[in-house]
Amino acid sequence: MFFYLSKIFWFFIQPLNLAIFLLLAGLLAAAFGRRRLAATGSVLAFLILSLSAWTSLGAMMLNPLEERFAKPSLPQKVDGIVVLGGGFEGAINLARGGYELNSGGDRMVETAILARRFPQAKVVVSGGTGELFLDGEGDADTAPRLLGALGVGADRLILENKSRNTYENAVFTRQMVAPKAGETWLLVTSAFHMPRAKALFDKAGFPTIPWPVDYRTSGKEGIGLFRDNPADSLQVTTMAIREWIGLAAYWLSGRIDRPFPGG
C-alpha cells in the first residue's frame, strides 16, 4: 500500500504535473466565471515553473543531500558491491535489448570500475520496475549486459529484480546476500539518494560503506537566476523535492530512524 500511495502522491505533487493541474484548475475556474480563483491557479503555476526552471532553488535543495556522505578512502579488501537501480532507460532497453543509460548511469559505470579494482568482490544489482504507469525493464535485468560488456563476469553477479523502491532494495538485498560479520560491502548510489539508502540498509541489518556517485551539484551553489538550462534545473528541483519528501515519509512511517540520516 505504501508503494502505491507514494507513487500516486508523487504523480500529483511533482512540480511539472502540479503546475499543469493548477493551470487546468485555473481554466476551469475561468470558464465558470471565478476570476480570482483562475488568477490564483495561474500565478501559482507560474511561480512553481519559474522557480524550478529559472533559479538555483533545486540545486540549493539538492546540495545538502549530496554533502551528507563524503566519499571515503577505499578499503584494502571489499567482499561485495551493492548498486541500486535507477541508472538505465528501462522502457528503451525493454524494447531494444540494449543497455542505454540515463542521467543516473554513473552508478553502473562506477560499479564496473570498482568490480575491476576488486576482482574477488561479488556485485549485487538491486532494482526491479518501480513505475506504476510505464513499462520498462528492471535495472537488475539490464545490468548483466552492460557489466558483462565491461568485463564483469556473470558468475560474480547477484541480481535482485523484485524491488520497487529503496526500502525493498534494502530488505530484499539483505535477504538474498545474508552478509556475514566482518565482511566489507560498498553501497553505490547517487549522492543525493545516499542518506535515505544508507539509513534503510542500516535499518535492514546490512552494514555498508557508502560510496556516493552521480553528483548533480558543484557544492558552490548560491541564490541566482539562470545558473543552468531550464530543463536541467527543473529536473534537479524535481529530484530534490522527491528526495526530501521521501526522507520525511520514510521517517514518519518508521522505516528510518532520523529525518536526515548522516554518517
Side-chain angles (χ1 to χ4, degrees):
M1 182 61 71
F2 182 92
F3 170 76
Y4 293 105
L5 289 176
S6 65
K7 293 297 182 180
I8 293 170
F9 176 78
W10 177 243
F11 176 78
F12 286 101
I13 205 68
Q14 59 182 290
L16 183 57
N17 284 359
L18 181 58
I20 291 172
F21 290 131
L22 286 169
L23 285 173
L24 178 60
L27 288 172
L28 291 174
F32 286 97
R34 303 292 297 274
R35 294 184 177 180
R36 181 174 296 179
L37 190 59
T40 300
S42 299
V43 169
L44 287 175
F46 171 76
L47 288 174
I48 290 170
L49 289 177
S50 60
L51 288 173
S52 298
W54 295 345
T55 76
S56 57
L57 174 66
M60 293 176 65
M61 293 173 63
L62 201 68
N63 183 249
L65 294 164
E66 294 195 332
E67 300 295 337
R68 196 63 170 167
F69 285 91
K71 186 175 290 185
S73 300
L74 276 173
Q76 293 294 319
K77 178 179 75 73
V78 171
D79 297 286
I81 303 157
V82 178
V83 57
L84 303 189
F88 289 111
E89 291 287 355
I92 295 173
N93 293 327
L94 179 64
R96 297 183 179 275
Y99 38 77
E100 300 297 327
L101 297 170
N102 61 26
S103 59
D106 287 0
R107 302 183 188 191
M108 295 299 165
V109 175
E110 184 72 8
T111 296
I113 293 171
L114 290 169
R116 292 176 69 89
R117 185 169 293 174
F118 298 100
Q120 304 305 315
K122 290 291 185 182
V123 178
V124 181
V125 183
S126 179
T129 302
E131 299 293 339
L132 278 182
F133 306 113
L134 300 176
D135 290 329
E137 185 176 60
D139 282 23
D141 296 320
T142 307
R145 298 197 292 270
L146 175 64
L147 295 177
L150 295 175
V152 182
D155 59 317
R156 299 176 60 189
L157 300 181
I158 300 172
L159 305 175
E160 185 287 294
N161 62 2
K162 302 299 183 185
S163 58
R164 302 167 298 174
N165 55 32
T166 314
Y167 171 77
E168 292 182 355
N169 287 148
V171 172
F172 295 169
T173 302
R174 172 70 175 81
Q175 293 171 352
M176 289 187 69
V177 172
K180 299 178 177 62
E183 289 185 339
T184 300
W185 287 80
L186 300 180
L187 177 61
V188 180
T189 191
S190 299
F192 68 86
H193 184 234
M194 187 60 77
R196 183 156 54 112
K198 173 63 174 157
L200 285 164
F201 271 75
D202 288 347
K203 189 82 169 180
F206 193 153
T208 59
I209 295 175
W211 194 260
V213 297
D214 180 34
Y215 287 87
R216 308 300 179 97
T217 68
S218 67
K220 300 178 180 179
E221 278 66 32
I223 299 173
L225 293 172
F226 305 108
R227 296 289 184 89
D228 203 347
N229 70 73
D232 287 346
S233 292
L234 178 59
Q235 182 187 45
V236 168
T237 304
T238 302
M239 287 189 300
I241 292 173
R242 181 176 185 176
E243 198 59 34
W244 283 111
I245 290 175
L247 283 167
Y250 276 46
W251 175 58
L252 292 172
S253 64
R255 296 187 173 192
I256 59 177
D257 294 328
R258 291 185 288 167
F260 189 27

